[in-house]
């Protein structure tokens, strides 16, 4: 039997014979082999007395909730109350109260993260056995879990737009939608950690997180970009707000990349690292040396971001000293104008047109045939390791590039898999610890599924995990 056949059989059992499916889980799913001992100690030492429900019972229940795709604990409790098979699988003599599940998530979110990281190490050899090339691909993306706040209600933005339309009804040149975005607060009123972001084509207020998967779509790392993360990495800038919602997101993505990768490799030093895939938000000159030199990736596939180049203007050449030349007269080198170190930007050297002069404290261009309409004159920036952006270990726009970069979409499929089938996309809470615990439990559930599938067919070499993340 192939791995796909085994997965299909499991799915059929789950859909058509749930008690038999639970028997299969009980046979191959042993939490005592997976849960870290520190989690066991933390759970039983927290109160210093016997628990009404064992650690394995609580974890089994929460993992089962994700497997079944039940979005809320309240609904899951109804299923537990009605199904003896589910209660027996979890080891419950009586069904816990909603608040007991909530307290478990809030009190032990750090232990859940430790459990998740242990499962990453356990599943790494399985992924390498399935497909070593795909296991060596690392894909990074960011997303957010929408919190249960008033700002996420469509009536919030619609009422603001309605007021602006009424106020500017006699001025058709005013873009009320852009103005409404500028007037929206950067964070939710109830919690300033719930940030405004532009995700999947709409404004929302979310707890933002970064996620790493391999080329198989199996999650490797989850990081909440919250105050704790910023305290651990003070160099991270995720709060800047510009006039462009897409730009706001890209600023957070590019600055979060380095600390997240560093944390991942510190936790899992033996993880494979061959190819990095990311979207154009990571296209900055300082990213490529970090990926190819510091992290030792062989290839970094990042599409060029149009904001980092201006193809509408003629491009300068360079002399033997690395000085940019006038785009229209290569005999004239441009003039160095100092170094730039902007927040969230790569260190760069500034060069200005050789035909510019200071007049009344301002630089003015006197070129007879200017290459730009700006009175300031043409400005060019050069960056350290500039060639790494042009040659990131692979030739851009080749067939190999296209084939490899198509794998990047799998990280979005994994995020969607967590949000929709596992039901964490629309939580009925604004509590950060609860939401973070649910996200970690979704990752734990996927990794447990990988381990379970490997045990069912432990003598086979699998080729694809696509059915697990479909």
């Amino acid at each position: 039997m192939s791995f796909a056949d085994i997965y299909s059989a499991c799915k059929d059992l789950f859909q058509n014979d749930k008690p038999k499916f639970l028997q299969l889980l009980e046979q191959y799913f042993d939490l005592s082999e997976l849960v870290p001992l520190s989690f066991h100690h933390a759970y039983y030492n927290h109160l210093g007395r016997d628990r009404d429900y064992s650690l394995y019972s609580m974890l089994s229940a929460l993992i089962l909730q994700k497997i079944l795709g039940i979005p809320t604990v309240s609904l899951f409790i109804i299923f537990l109350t009605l199904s003896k098979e589910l209660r027996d699988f979890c080891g419950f003599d009586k069904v816990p109260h909603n608040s007991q599940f909530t307290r478990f998530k809030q009190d032990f979110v750090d232990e859940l993260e430790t459990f998740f990281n242990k499962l990453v190490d356990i599943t790494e050899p399985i992924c390498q056995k399935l497909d070593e090339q795909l296991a060596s691909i690392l894909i990074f993306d960011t997303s957010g879990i929408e919190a249960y706040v008033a700002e996420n209600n469509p009536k919030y933005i619609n009422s603001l737009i309605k007021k602006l339309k009424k106020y500017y009804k006699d001025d058709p040149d005013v873009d009320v939608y852009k103005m409404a975005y500028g007037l929206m607060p950067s964070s939710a009123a109830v919690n300033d950690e719930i940030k405004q972001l532009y995700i999947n084509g709409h404004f929302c207020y979310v707890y933002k997180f970064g996620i790493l998967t391999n080329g198989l779509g199996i999650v490797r790392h989850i990081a909440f970009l919250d105050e704790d993360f910023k305290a651990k990495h003070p160099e991270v800038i995720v709060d800047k707000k510009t006039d462009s919602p897409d730009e706001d997101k890209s600023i957070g993505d590019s600055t979060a990349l380095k600390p997240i990768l560093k944390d991942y490799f510190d936790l899992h030093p033996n993880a494979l690292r061959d190819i990095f895939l990311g979207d154009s938000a990571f296209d900055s000159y300082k990213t490529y040396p970090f990926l190819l030199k510091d992290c030792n990736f062989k290839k970094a596939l990042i599409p060029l971001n149009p904001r980092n180049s201006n193809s509408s203007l003629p491009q300068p050449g360079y002399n033997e000293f690395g000085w940019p030349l006038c785009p229209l007269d290569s005999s004239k080198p441009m003039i160095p104008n100092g170094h730039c170190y902007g927040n969230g930007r790569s260190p760069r050297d500034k060069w200005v047109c050789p035909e510019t002069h200071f007049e009344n404290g301002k630089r003015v261009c006197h070129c007879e045939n200017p290459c730009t309409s700006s009175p300031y004159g043409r400005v060019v920036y050069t960056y350290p390791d500039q060639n790494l952006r042009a040659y990131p270990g692979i030739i851009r726009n080749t067939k190999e590039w296209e084939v490899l970069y198509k794998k990047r979409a799998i990280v979005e499929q994994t995020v969607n898999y967590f949000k929709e089938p596992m039901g964490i996309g629309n939580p009925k809470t604004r509590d950060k610890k609860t939401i973070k615990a649910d996200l970690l439990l979704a990752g734990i559930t996927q990794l447990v599924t990988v381990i379970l599938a490997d045990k069912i067919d432990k003598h086979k070499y699998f080729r694809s995990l696509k059915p697990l993340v479909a």
Side-chain angles (χ1 to χ4, degrees):
M1 293 179 67
S2 69
F3 176 75
D5 293 334
I6 292 171
Y7 178 78
S8 297
C10 289
K11 185 171 66 174
D12 290 341
L13 286 172
F14 170 64
Q15 292 175 342
N16 302 318
D17 194 348
K18 288 183 172 57
K20 190 174 182 180
F21 176 77
L22 294 176
Q23 292 174 9
L24 184 65
L25 282 175
E26 290 174 343
Q27 181 179 354
Y28 292 101
F29 177 60
D30 187 358
L31 276 175
S32 64
E33 297 178 355
L34 303 176
V35 177
L37 187 61
S38 60
F39 198 168
H40 186 277
H41 289 162
Y43 182 72
Y44 289 103
N45 291 340
H46 187 70
L47 290 179
R49 56 185 176 83
D50 293 338
R51 293 277 188 174
D52 292 334
Y53 306 99
S54 74
L55 172 61
Y56 302 135
S57 293
M58 296 297 289
L59 284 174
S60 296
L62 292 171
I63 291 172
L64 186 60
Q65 179 194 355
K66 297 294 182 287
I67 292 175
L68 297 174
I70 300 174
T72 65
V73 172
S74 299
L75 182 59
F76 180 56
I77 288 174
I78 295 175
F79 277 81
L80 287 174
T81 303
L82 297 176
S83 173
K84 183 178 184 302
E85 290 84 0
L86 293 181
R87 293 196 302 275
D88 291 343
F89 172 78
C90 297
F92 287 145
D93 294 327
K94 58 180 180 178
V95 179
H97 190 267
N98 193 335
S99 61
Q100 292 173 299
F101 284 113
T102 301
R103 285 198 300 271
F104 179 86
K105 295 176 185 178
Q106 294 175 352
D107 292 342
F108 302 106
V109 62
D110 292 337
E111 283 70 26
L112 287 171
E113 188 169 8
T114 302
F115 183 24
F116 169 81
N117 287 325
K118 180 181 179 180
L119 293 179
V120 171
D121 288 329
I122 293 174
T123 55
E124 181 65 21
I126 299 174
C127 293
Q128 294 179 21
K129 180 175 66 174
L130 292 168
D131 192 313
E132 187 171 352
Q133 181 186 25
L134 293 179
S136 69
I137 296 175
L138 206 58
I139 312 170
F140 178 59
D141 198 11
T142 60
S143 188
I145 304 296
E146 296 186 36
Y148 194 61
V149 293
E151 288 83 355
N152 278 329
N153 191 323
K155 294 181 180 180
Y156 183 89
I157 182 65
N158 289 337
S159 63
L160 185 57
I161 293 173
K162 185 177 179 180
K163 292 177 182 178
L164 291 172
K165 282 183 176 180
K166 183 178 180 180
Y167 188 81
Y168 291 102
K169 62 181 179 180
D170 297 327
D171 192 348
D173 295 329
V174 174
D175 189 341
V176 295
Y177 295 96
K178 184 176 181 179
M179 184 177 292
Y181 167 74
L183 293 175
M184 291 174 68
S186 298
S187 58
V190 296
N191 188 338
D192 59 5
E193 287 192 86
I194 304 174
K195 303 296 183 182
Q196 182 208 46
L197 286 182
Y198 189 73
I199 296 178
N200 298 330
H202 72 287
F203 299 104
C204 54
Y205 288 77
V206 303
Y207 285 111
K208 187 177 180 181
F209 67 91
I211 183 171
L212 290 168
T213 72
N214 58 23
L216 295 161
I218 303 304
V219 61
R220 301 287 84 194
H221 189 70
I222 296 173
F224 250 53
L225 302 183
D226 55 9
E227 295 300 325
D228 294 336
F229 182 84
K230 288 189 287 184
K232 183 179 179 181
H233 302 285
E235 73 278 10
V236 173
I237 303 171
V238 296
D239 293 330
K240 184 176 178 181
K241 184 174 181 179
T242 69
D243 291 334
S244 168
D246 288 322
E247 180 71 4
D248 288 343
K249 184 175 184 295
S250 69
I251 291 171
D253 289 1
S254 61
T255 55
L257 173 64
K258 183 175 180 178
I260 286 178
L261 282 180
K262 183 180 182 300
D263 288 347
Y264 172 67
F265 289 126
D266 286 346
L267 287 167
H268 315 287
N270 297 323
L272 294 180
R273 58 181 92 180
D274 188 36
I275 300 170
F276 175 84
L277 302 182
D279 61 25
S280 60
F282 306 108
D283 178 37
S284 68
Y285 287 106
K286 64 180 180 181
T287 299
Y288 297 94
F290 167 70
L291 292 172
L292 299 172
K293 294 183 177 181
D294 297 346
C295 294
N296 297 318
F297 284 101
K298 295 179 182 177
K299 302 174 183 178
L301 281 72
I302 302 172
L304 296 177
N305 196 324
R307 66 182 173 85
N308 291 334
S309 60
N310 193 342
S311 58
S312 64
L313 298 177
Q315 299 302 305
Y318 296 84
N319 64 16
E320 66 272 21
F321 303 109
W323 286 41
L325 305 174
C326 175
L328 302 180
D329 186 352
S330 60
S331 66
K332 297 180 180 180
M334 301 188 76
I335 307 300
N337 193 236
H339 304 283
C340 302
Y341 301 95
N343 284 338
R345 299 290 301 276
S346 304
R348 57 206 186 279
D349 298 316
K350 183 179 180 180
W351 307 78
V352 297
C353 175
E355 299 296 332
T356 58
H357 306 283
F358 275 103
E359 296 180 5
N360 298 323
K362 295 182 179 180
R363 188 178 293 277
V364 180
C365 179
H366 293 281
C367 183
E368 295 181 358
N369 186 23
C371 58
T372 176
S373 59
S374 172
Y376 186 91
R378 183 66 183 275
V379 176
V380 172
Y381 295 94
T382 56
Y383 296 78
D385 296 310
Q386 185 168 1
N387 286 338
L388 289 179
R389 182 174 181 246
Y391 308 104
I394 184 174
I395 300 175
R396 293 181 179 274
N397 298 326
T398 60
K399 187 67 175 178
E400 181 187 10
W401 173 284
E402 293 177 359
V403 171
L404 282 175
Y405 193 72
K406 286 181 180 178
K407 300 294 183 183
R408 201 204 75 82
I410 202 166
V411 69
E412 297 179 354
Q413 296 171 14
T414 300
V415 171
N416 183 68
Y417 176 58
F418 287 176
K419 289 185 177 181
E420 298 300 330
M422 291 196 185
I424 68 169
N426 294 290
K428 300 302 181 183
T429 180
R430 63 174 69 102
D431 181 76
K432 180 181 69 174
K433 289 185 176 181
T434 303
I435 293 175
K436 183 177 181 180
D438 277 325
L439 180 59
L440 289 168
L441 283 164
I444 288 168
T445 301
Q446 189 196 43
L447 297 179
V448 165
T449 308
V450 175
I451 296 171
L452 177 63
D454 181 60
K455 287 186 175 182
I456 291 173
D457 196 20
K458 54 188 175 184
H459 300 296
K460 297 288 184 180
Y461 287 91
F462 312 135
R463 292 187 177 182
S464 174
L465 272 179
K466 186 177 179 180
L468 285 176
V469 296

